[in-house]
Amino acid sequence: MNNLLKIRTRPKVCLILFILGAVLCIVLDILGVTSITIKSVFNSPIDLPVPSWVILPLTYIILGAVTGILSKRPYDAAFYGACLGQCQTLLPIIAFYFILHTGNEFEMFWRALCGIPLSASFAGIAFYTKRLITKS
């Protein structure tokens, strides 16, 4: 039973996914998706026709699913998904409470909830879907 609960992740993969998550936050902000705060941090001139509240969750759902598909064990899939979404969870909270103090709590929390909860859960869902498909 103890063997099942051990998460044998690779630290380098976790670091790469963490950096990918940070780069993703910056790239989304540059592309006009307000991923960290209400206004673009990098003052992006791009105005997308699709609202940020649609693009941001979809990005982390898709990347979480890719992470789950590429993972070899279910616990690793969720852990890798959490590593990917960690910056998206932390940066809005840090920007709201410690730096900007602008906007409302709802705006900050929906951005923060796009990170770890979405990417980790969809990584697990994608892993088990992949497992069901390969076993049948």
Side-chain angles (χ1 to χ4, degrees), residues 34-114:
T34 54
S35 63
I36 301 170
T37 61
I38 294 172
K39 294 181 181 177
S40 176
V41 175
F42 295 102
N43 296 323
S44 174
I46 301 171
D47 188 26
L48 296 174
V50 181
S52 294
W53 58 269
V54 173
I55 295 174
L56 188 60
L58 281 177
T59 303
Y60 281 94
I61 287 170
I62 292 168
L63 288 176
V66 169
T67 303
I69 290 169
L70 296 176
S71 298
K72 294 182 181 177
R73 291 180 294 273
Y75 301 113
D76 293 350
F79 196 79
Y80 289 149
C83 290
L84 175 71
Q86 187 174 6
C87 282
Q88 182 59 43
T89 298
L90 295 176
L91 289 178
I93 294 171
I94 291 170
F96 180 79
Y97 283 114
F98 299 113
I99 299 172
L100 299 176
H101 305 291
T102 58
N104 59 23
E105 290 82 9
F106 176 75
E107 289 284 332
M108 183 266 305
F109 276 115
W110 83 259
R111 285 177 176 84
L113 290 176
C114 288

Side-chain angles (χ1 to χ4, degrees), residues 24-33 35 40 42-46:
L24 183 64
C25 288
I26 294 168
V27 168
L28 284 172
D29 197 81
I30 290 171
L31 291 176
V33 178
S35 63
S40 176
F42 295 102
N43 296 323
S44 174
I46 301 171

